Amino acid sequence: MKKLTCMCLLIMLLPACSNFVIEPVLDIDMPLNQSLFAYDGIMMSEKDIFSLSEKQETEFFNEYAKLLQKGLARHEALAAYLQRLKNNFTFYGETNVAQKSFSEKQGNCLSLSILTTALTRLVGLETSYREVTSSPVFQKNNNFISSSSHVQTIIYDPNFVPEKGLFYLSKPGIVIDYFPTKNSQQGPKFTFKKFLSMYYRNIAGDALMDKNPNKAFAYGEQALKVLPSSVEAINFMALLHKTQSDMKTSEQLYKLGMSLDKSNIQIIHNYMILLAKQGRYQEVDFYQNKMNSLDNPNPYLWLEQSYQSSENPEQAEIYYKKALQNAPYLQEAYIGLAKIYYKRNNKKRAKEMVENALKWSYKKEEKQLYKRKLSLLSALNT
């Protein structure tokens, strides 16, 4: 289960041409077991999520006007305002609506991206979004493990006029990045519809970890209503039904998700867990072989699978190597392989992996740590 959490903000210039993914509009027969869940709480509407109070709007417009008076373009003024806001913003795991993020100056990266969207609506600026993956961070809560990624918001230049005879895949703009990290992987841009579905899925995930399956179902279902083709939301709902012991519906959802995205590593992994729980090991082997044959270019997805396969070092080794095929700079993968080889008493190979990690290390603390490991391995080999 993937959550969106972030820690800091960075503003970068976006080139004029960039790829863009349009989510397909599909008529999907969603196999949900409504009889298992009953939620009597209040569902947050789109207006609830992105609206500010009159007082907050006035406060924002006063500061925004001052930035415009300095000669900044509208999207530049908003980016400058967000940079100031970031300095007083406390980042932690909760997903807040725009009004709460504005008043309390806290929340995760999705919260700040929601607030950014609310502000762009006030000043009439166009936006899109992009999910960025980096080395996975895991959080365990009530036997559920969630991994983290983050969202960039792109604010487009309203004054851009394309030249005649030139084709542009995207207008130029400014990327608001709330979690800049070295060696991160940028995914394709996506629309507001997917962004809104992400919000509902995040709230559903929090509810599930808080042992509130009824709320989790309500928000998960809303995520699917917004974007029925969301494999991430389908994956979540399959997991939710599994927690309620409805293996039949869970399996139907996993198969639906895999039919929409045959190379989705997370949903294949979760389906294999369901199969193993039912003792269907031949099918587990089939999907394991399928996973091993995939050529997903995102190294962090393979790194995530490596961590989750820690009790199966042979399989973890395969995933670490897949990660390195796409990103030879991943120190985490080298260290993971070093631990595997060390446990196999292959000190020479373990030393080679630490040497590779050292080669790609740039931080003083990391270099010192890897050098100490090398010294210990060298002493063991003598």
Side-chain angles (χ1 to χ4, degrees):
M1 182 172 60
K2 188 172 284 291
K3 286 183 62 181
L4 296 164
T5 57
C6 300
M7 297 171 61
C8 50
L9 180 145
L10 174 70
I11 295 177
M12 302 180 295
L13 293 180
L14 178 72
C17 295
S18 182
N19 58 329
F20 192 89
V21 168
I22 299 176
E23 293 82 24
V25 179
L26 301 174
D27 184 15
I28 298 175
D29 183 16
M30 199 66 62
L32 302 178
N33 189 345
Q34 303 273 356
S35 64
L36 285 176
F37 308 94
Y39 180 59
D40 57 2
I42 299 174
M43 174 71 66
M44 298 294 290
S45 68
E46 182 179 332
K47 182 179 179 181
D48 296 328
I49 298 167
F50 296 99
S51 64
L52 296 175
S53 69
E54 289 186 12
K55 181 180 179 182
Q56 289 173 336
E57 289 183 10
T58 300
E59 180 181 335
F60 162 69
F61 277 121
N62 287 338
E63 294 300 317
Y64 182 68
K66 294 176 183 177
L67 292 166
L68 290 176
Q69 290 172 0
K70 294 182 178 181
L72 296 176
R74 286 191 292 143
H75 68 305
E76 294 171 337
L78 181 55
Y81 177 86
L82 289 166
Q83 181 65 46
R84 291 181 182 179
L85 181 70
K86 167 253 177 181
N87 295 332
N88 297 313
F89 203 89
T90 301
F91 289 86
Y92 79 123
E94 186 174 344
T95 304
N96 293 328
V97 298
Q99 194 167 146
K100 187 173 181 180
S101 295
F102 191 99
S103 62
E104 298 185 1
K105 303 293 188 294
Q106 62 182 14
N108 59 19
C109 80
L110 195 62
S111 305
L112 201 46
S113 198
I114 287 169
L115 178 55
T116 299
T117 302
L119 297 177
T120 59
R121 289 183 172 187
L122 287 178
V123 296
L125 291 172
E126 181 186 351
T127 62
S128 66
Y129 309 89
R130 180 166 55 206
E131 188 170 0
V132 180
T133 57
S134 57
S135 185
V137 178
F138 296 101
Q139 176 185 3
K140 188 171 183 180
N141 190 349
N142 291 329
N143 295 321
F144 295 106
I145 297 177
S146 62
S147 62
S148 303
S149 61
H150 69 284
V151 171
Q152 295 175 335
T153 306
I154 303 163
I155 307 174
Y156 292 104
D157 181 357
N159 301 318
F160 172 67
V161 178
E163 294 184 36
K164 291 183 179 181
L166 293 180
F167 176 72
Y168 296 88
L169 293 176
S170 175
K171 291 193 290 186
I174 296 176
V175 175
I176 308 298
D177 191 340
Y178 307 111
F179 189 34
T181 57
K182 186 180 70 173
N183 298 330
S184 60
Q185 292 275 328
Q186 292 185 347
K189 290 186 286 181
F190 57 86
T191 64
F192 172 77
K193 186 177 288 188
K194 182 173 180 179
F195 179 67
L196 182 59
S197 180
M198 280 182 171
Y199 167 80
Y200 286 120
R201 179 163 47 91
N202 245 35
I203 300 301
D206 289 340
L208 181 57
M209 288 193 287
D210 290 339
K211 297 184 178 180
N212 190 342
N214 293 321
K215 182 178 180 181
F217 179 84
Y219 276 88
E221 186 179 33
Q222 187 64 24
L224 287 171
K225 286 179 180 178
V226 172
L227 188 62
S229 60
S230 171
V231 176
E232 293 81 9
I234 293 171
N235 182 41
F236 171 80
M237 293 300 269
L239 174 63
L240 176 60
H241 281 79
K242 179 172 172 282
T243 65
Q244 302 304 299
S245 301
D246 184 353
M247 302 301 180
K248 180 180 178 181
T249 303
S250 179
E251 181 165 3
Q252 289 174 337
L253 286 163
Y254 280 134
K255 287 184 174 180
L256 172 61
M258 289 188 292
S259 72
L260 294 173
D261 185 355
K262 293 179 174 58
S263 61
N264 189 291
I265 296 172
Q266 289 97 340
I267 202 166
I268 296 173
H269 173 87
N270 285 344
Y271 183 46
M272 287 167 54
I273 293 175
L274 182 145
L275 293 172
K277 187 172 183 179
Q278 296 178 334
R280 297 158 62 182
Y281 298 114
Q282 282 189 329
E283 292 173 84
V284 172
D285 291 340
F286 171 82
Y287 282 101
Q288 186 64 78
N289 290 332
K290 177 180 175 64
M291 181 111 79
N292 291 347
S293 68
L294 292 178
D295 188 25
N296 193 305
N298 187 334
Y300 296 106
L301 291 178
W302 294 118
L303 192 61
E304 181 176 326
Q305 292 301 311
S306 302
Y307 293 161
Q308 295 192 39
S309 301
S310 58
E311 295 182 4
N312 185 348
E314 288 75 19
Q315 189 57 56
E317 180 182 8
I318 293 173
Y319 292 146
Y320 279 128
K321 289 180 177 179
K322 279 182 171 290
L324 288 170
Q325 285 175 2
N326 294 290
Y329 51 78
L330 276 185
Q331 301 166 42
E332 299 94 332
Y334 289 120
I335 296 303
L337 287 171
K339 291 177 180 178
I340 291 172
Y341 296 142
Y342 180 81
K343 288 181 180 179
R344 292 178 185 168
N345 204 34
N346 190 339
K347 308 293 193 307
K348 181 179 179 181
R349 287 287 285 147
K351 183 180 177 183
E352 289 176 0
M353 294 302 104
V354 177
E355 287 173 343
N356 286 332
L358 178 60
K359 182 176 68 175
W360 289 102
S361 175
Y362 301 98
K363 295 181 180 179
K364 182 179 179 181
E365 297 80 5
E366 288 177 347
K367 285 182 174 291
Q368 291 175 343
L369 175 62
Y370 297 152
K371 286 178 179 179
R372 286 197 296 270
K373 289 181 181 293
L374 281 174
S375 296
L376 288 172
L377 287 169
S378 298
L380 291 170
N381 284 329
T382 56

